DNA sequence: CGCGATTTTGAGCACCTTCAATCCGTGTGG
DNA sequence: CCACACGGATTGAAGGTGCTCAAAATCGCG
């Protein structure tokens, strides 16, 4: 099921200093602008093209890179001995995953949900950047801190929300983040890259029950969901009923494109 | 139930440079040594003495400080509109919480589980330290990154482990972290600061069911649990059965005391 | 001793799971 | 073009894990 082929290539571009956006750290960035895939402008990049279903990072192995998503969707997941899977989060173009400093055994795997293009940054390079450009530290720390906040929000869903609430909460989050990164397309619909099994593993449910819940929400005229096309019919009511807090779940880092993907 | 009185005092000590342990960033620290409460040695500190049950940080308010625990236990939690509570994690002496850069509305509250002493560090000071001492950035990023790993592990528990597994997993984690920070005392027992309601809110269960599960584990001769005194009788079997991974759940930052609490 | 908080135990119920069958859309080979 | 296979979605029926409600026992503490 998980074919792990990987295509790697290394590109050279014009030599360029680290493009930290030193003027933006204090939250001055326009957060409404979509974090579209960056134009490559680094001195040397390792770009990976990953087919859907392939693992980029594997649980248990020693991680040595962080990755910037240039195109496609990724998801982070944790596997138990007996195959139970928990999806921990997902990443879209512009997002960074596995921002680590020390090489450690990975606590989770990262898989391409769709065909994806990512850009690898070895930990040493990150450390170097941190040492040389103090402003970068602020940007990166904010990045990780936001990831932590979202993880906490997901914990709250898993521990204390009903299946219905969890599902609605998840849909709004996916919907908003997707529309933010892909502003083109149908004004009020997105195509979900997730199967219902993915949703189930993200929400701590079974695929069967996710399906029933989805159907229920359709029957309640809260959403339209057909062939993985999602439309949120009553965003306000849904957000209210699921306890969705835009300030927590959508608070991207203040300056997402402040760090050159390199 | 939550009395929120707070005692604050500001202390002056000998003026001192920031005591980052610049020699230790690369994981050279002896992680087996307990992270005992630090001796105060900073130029100016805001120390708070917090009674048990008081909130140090309140969800929704704008956070402006991070805190180092000097004494006692804290826990982070998130409250839903209708009062449902999810406990997101806990902190012991030596731990740092709310390591943020930007002032944002807090996504969670922090409460003193026992009477506690903490040391506040305003975000601006943290930013300053980052700018002035690049080595600190590495230390701090590692700190946050480890917190994220633990959050992910908890997500996996909440989403994909049974009540029995979750409970065992939690007990081992508390047990190990407690013994690491308080090496004195009975060789093989700890006193839990948590009520069974706390445990329930951490594990996404009800207190009633936590009780039944605890009793079951006692009946199975895996643990002894009486009057909040916990003894783990068969650590290997328990760790195996609950999927506890010491490398993930106990991987403290490489250099926890690398940062002066200030 | 008496009160409130916590723990413990029982009985019944519900949300979600498991197992299973069917349907549908897409791609593949004859 | 059709047959077939395959992954995913959908629906039904039955069962179990964990919840709710409730009461009693125990602990901590003034």
């Amino acid at each position: 099921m998980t074919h792990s082929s990987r295509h790697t290539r290394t590109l050279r571009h014009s030599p360029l200093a680290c493009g930290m956006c030193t003027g933006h750290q204090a939250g001055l960035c326009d957060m409404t602008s979509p974090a579209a895939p960056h134009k490559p402008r680094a001195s040397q990049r390792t770009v990976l093209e990953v087919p859907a279903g392939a693992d980029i990072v594997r649980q248990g192995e020693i991680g040595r890179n962080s990755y910037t998503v240039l195109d496609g969707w990724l998801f982070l997941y944790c596997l138990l001995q007996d195959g139970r899977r928990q999806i921990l989060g997902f990443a879209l173009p512009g997002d960074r995953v596995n921002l680590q400093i020390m090489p450690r055994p990975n606590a989770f795997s990262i898989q391409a949900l769709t065909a994806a293009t990512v850009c690898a940054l070895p930990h040493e390079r990150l450390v170097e950047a941190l040492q040389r450009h103090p402003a970068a530290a602020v940007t990166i720390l904010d990045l990780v801190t936001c990831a932590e906040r979202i993880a906490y929000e997901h914990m709250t869903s898993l521990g204390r929300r009903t299946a219905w609430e969890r599902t609605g909460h998840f849909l709004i989050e996916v919907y908003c983040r997707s529309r933010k990164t892909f502003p083109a397309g149908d004004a009020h619909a997105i195509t979900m890259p997730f199967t219902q099994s993915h949703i189930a593993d993200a929400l701590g449910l079974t695929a069967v029950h996710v399906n029933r819940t989805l159907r229920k929400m359709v029957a309640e005229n809260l959403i339209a969901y057909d062939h993985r096309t999602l439309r949120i019919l009553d965003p306000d009511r849904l957000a209210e009923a699921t306890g969705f807090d835009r300030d927590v779940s959508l608070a991207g880092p203040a300056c997402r494109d402040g760090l050159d993907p390199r």
Side-chain angles (χ1 to χ4, degrees), chain A:
Chain A
M1 143 192 184
T2 297
H3 42 114
S4 55
S5 55
R6 251 187 259 181
H7 308 279
T8 310
R9 67 196 150 99
T10 300
L11 301 180
R12 288 192 173 280
H13 285 271
S14 57
L16 193 60
C18 171
M20 308 301 169
C21 71
T22 50
H24 292 175
Q25 305 95 312
L28 305 173
C29 269
D30 179 8
M31 289 188 37
T32 61
S33 71
H38 299 261
K39 289 277 185 290
R41 52 190 185 95
S43 54
Q44 182 174 355
R45 309 168 48 181
T46 308
V47 172
L48 285 84
E49 311 241 352
V50 197
D55 282 331
I56 294 163
V57 164
R58 232 179 312 256
Q59 192 174 344
E61 295 180 0
I62 307 275
R64 305 202 174 277
N65 293 298
S66 58
Y67 298 90
T68 305
V69 184
L70 300 179
D71 191 33
W73 293 64
L74 309 184
F75 68 97
L76 284 60
Y77 67 100
C78 179
L79 233 41
L80 301 185
Q81 264 71 27
D82 60 1
R84 281 174 286 178
R85 179 176 71 169
Q86 176 64 43
I87 291 185
L88 305 164
F90 51 94
L92 288 83
D95 289 336
R96 262 160 254 274
V97 294
N98 214 27
L99 270 177
Q100 292 227 344
I101 284 297
M102 314 277 181
R104 296 179 193 274
N106 299 314
F108 48 80
S109 299
I110 303 181
Q111 185 170 124
L113 185 56
T114 65
T117 314
V118 302
C119 174
L121 176 70
H123 292 161
E124 313 90 62
R125 305 281 304 272
L126 182 58
V127 173
E128 280 171 36
L130 247 38
Q131 311 279 7
R132 231 178 309 160
H133 308 273
V138 173
T139 306
I140 293 184
L141 185 51
D142 194 46
L143 234 42
V144 181
T145 272
C146 283
E148 198 189 358
R149 286 160 68 91
I150 294 200
Y152 284 153
E153 188 64 26
H154 289 164
M155 278 182 64
T156 305
S157 271
L158 289 168
R160 285 299 180 224
R161 286 200 249 256
T162 65
W164 190 92
E165 292 168 327
R166 273 182 246 183
T167 307
H169 197 276
F170 178 81
L171 291 184
I172 305 182
E173 184 184 341
V174 173
Y175 181 82
C176 293
R177 284 180 60 187
S178 174
R179 292 206 44 214
K180 199 162 157 189
T181 28
F182 308 111
D186 188 332
H188 292 294
I190 66 161
T191 16
M192 296 270 295
F194 300 99
T195 67
Q196 294 181 7
S197 284
H198 286 123
I199 303 179
D201 285 342
L203 301 182
L205 301 169
T206 58
V208 171
H209 200 247
V210 165
N211 183 286
R212 284 190 233 274
T213 309
L214 245 20
R215 286 303 129 213
K216 187 154 185 286
M217 297 184 111
V218 169
E220 290 166 329
N221 277 315
L222 281 165
I223 62 167
Y225 193 94
D226 194 47
H227 295 264
R228 297 204 198 158
T229 299
L230 169 68
R231 204 176 297 263
I232 298 198
L233 303 177
D234 195 337
D236 293 339
R237 190 151 64 94
L238 192 58
E240 169 66 23
T242 60
F244 187 86
D245 183 346
R246 161 171 296 270
D247 290 336
V248 174
S249 296
L250 298 179
C255 185
R256 186 195 236 162
D257 44 17
L259 183 66
D260 192 334
R262 291 230 284 184

